[in-house]
Structure formats: C-alpha cells, structure tokens
Amino acid sequence: MEEEVVRNQYTDAQKQEIFDMEFMPHINAMYNFAYRLTLERDDAKDLLQDTYLKAYRFIDSFQQGTNAKAWLFRILKNSFINDYRKKSKEPSKVDYQEVEAYYNSEDVDRQITPDLRVESLTNMIGDEISNALNSLDVDFKTVIILCDLEGFKYEEMAKILDIPIGTVRSRLHRARNLLKEKLSEYAKSMGYKTA
Amino acid sequence: MNMPDMNKMKQDCPNKQECLQLLQSILDGEATAAQKETFMKQHLQECMTCYQNYHLEVAIRGLLKQKCSNEAPEELINSIKEKVIKNLGQ
Ligand SMILES: [Zn+2]
C-alpha cells in the first residue's frame, strides 16, 4: 500500500513463515472473493494464483503483524480490475456509467423501498441469495462481500478499495437496497407474498 | 431486545432511509454506543417499519454467510504452495 514506504528484508525462512502463517489462512475467503468477481471457476483459479504469487513477490512490503487479510484482498481487487475486468461478464462501460449515475442521484433511496419480508427469506433455501449477490454490479457486490461475508470495518474497506469512508457507507447502503430488490423479485416469482 | 407492544407501535417511519443507514452501521459495528442505545432501546420499540427492517437485515446477513461462501479447491491450494516454494531463494 502507498503509505508503506518501509521495505523489509525477510530471509527465505521468514518469507515462508509469513506466507504459511499469515497469507494461507485466508485462501478460502480469497477464493470466494475471486469467484464472486469473475463468476468463472477457471478465472477465479487464475486470479487467486496470480494474487498469491504477487503477494509473495512483494512480501518485503508487507509489515508483519499488520492486517494480512486486508493487504491480500487489496491485491486481489487490483489484479481483478487490471487483468480480468475487461473479459468478465459485467455490464458494458456505458451500462455501468448509467447505473452509477442513477444510483448516485440524491433521491434514489426514496424510490427504492423493496418490500421484502423475513418469511419469504426463510423459503430461500437454494441459490437465490447467491444468484442475487452475483447479479449485482461489481462495485456493489464487492462492498457486501467485504462487509457482510468477511467482516471488514469501513476503514479497512476504504483502504482496500481506495475510496473515502463516506463512499463506503453510501455504497453499502445502495448495495443492500439493490440486493433486497433482487430478493424481492425472487420472492415474487416464487409466489410468496412480499408485503 | 424486549418484545415491543405491537399495538402501540407507529406503522410508518418518517425517516425510513436515515434509520436504515443507522441500523446498518449499528449491525456493522460502526455506530457509537449512544446511537446504538437510543435506536435499539427506544426507536425499535415504537417503530414498526424499523423493527421489521432490523429483522430483515439480520436475516439477510445470516443467509449471506450461510449460502455465499466457497472453499478453494484442494489442488489449487497445493499448486500455489508448490509454486511459492519453487520461487524461494530466487
Ligand atoms: Zn423508524
């Protein structure tokens, strides 16, 4: 990360230890993030492997005892943007900008009030929630993964994503509204009363 | 949380989105103790909209955790470890 000007000179044994003890324990969370971003098993594997090899290559800029998980997630997110985003199945640039403009407008929160009930969620025992999450635009699904699945704090998310904390907060709020909107569509199509 | 008296609750919240944002920051562990206290012990007891939102937010988080995790394939983990060992000393 930019603020880390300190370069360590770890020995091979130390590198191996950091890799095994601090990086590897996050491999399942990292794989899940890679899979949710790319939506392809093969791309997820490549992205994960690239990320871990990159992490190893830049291990001297990792400060032992700091948040390895946040450091790794940031590398994965940047690799995805640089190497995979173009070929992934996300909406084209134009669609994306329209979506972003729409969801950044001031009064949009007042229009989206998904009517969803807890009872219809308890009937979603299949892939509904997973599909709903996957269907969200990358920026929106990312904040939900980081916060609700991985338990990152807003401040950590701001660093991982290179955005201000206020943006983390509002993007999360919008992402959750969008997720509820999706879930309420599923609930309707399943024939459950939503309101 | 105490079980609120449903009959005495307001049905509609005048600050629905603002309350929802506050509720989310409480559940995310990002609100102050005072915000949490006021919202959970007072507002939730008297506002049906927010009371329902609270349970919905909790249920969605539970469902996400339960349904949206994947484990890395064993052979991928091994191949990453192998490649790193090969890189040692270079
Ligand atoms: Zn309320």
Side-chain angles (χ1 to χ4, degrees), chain A residues 1-61:
Chain A
M1 302 190 191
E2 292 94 324
E3 66 263 33
E4 282 171 17
V5 278
V6 189
R7 291 246 173 257
N8 304 285
Q9 295 231 304
Y10 296 121
T11 63
D12 275 359
Q14 286 172 320
K15 285 183 185 178
Q16 186 70 43
E17 188 192 311
I18 293 171
F19 196 85
D20 290 343
M21 306 303 288
E22 304 209 40
F23 294 177
M24 288 310 279
H26 304 296
I27 199 149
N28 286 325
M30 291 276 284
Y31 175 75
N32 193 43
F33 188 34
Y35 172 65
R36 300 280 161 191
L37 290 176
T38 58
L39 299 177
E40 295 282 354
R41 301 272 171 199
D42 285 343
D43 284 347
K45 285 181 188 174
D46 290 346
L47 178 54
L48 188 72
Q49 183 153 298
D50 289 355
T51 302
Y52 268 87
L53 292 179
K54 234 176 248 178
Y56 184 78
R57 214 176 317 132
F58 295 109
I59 206 163
D60 281 339
S61 60

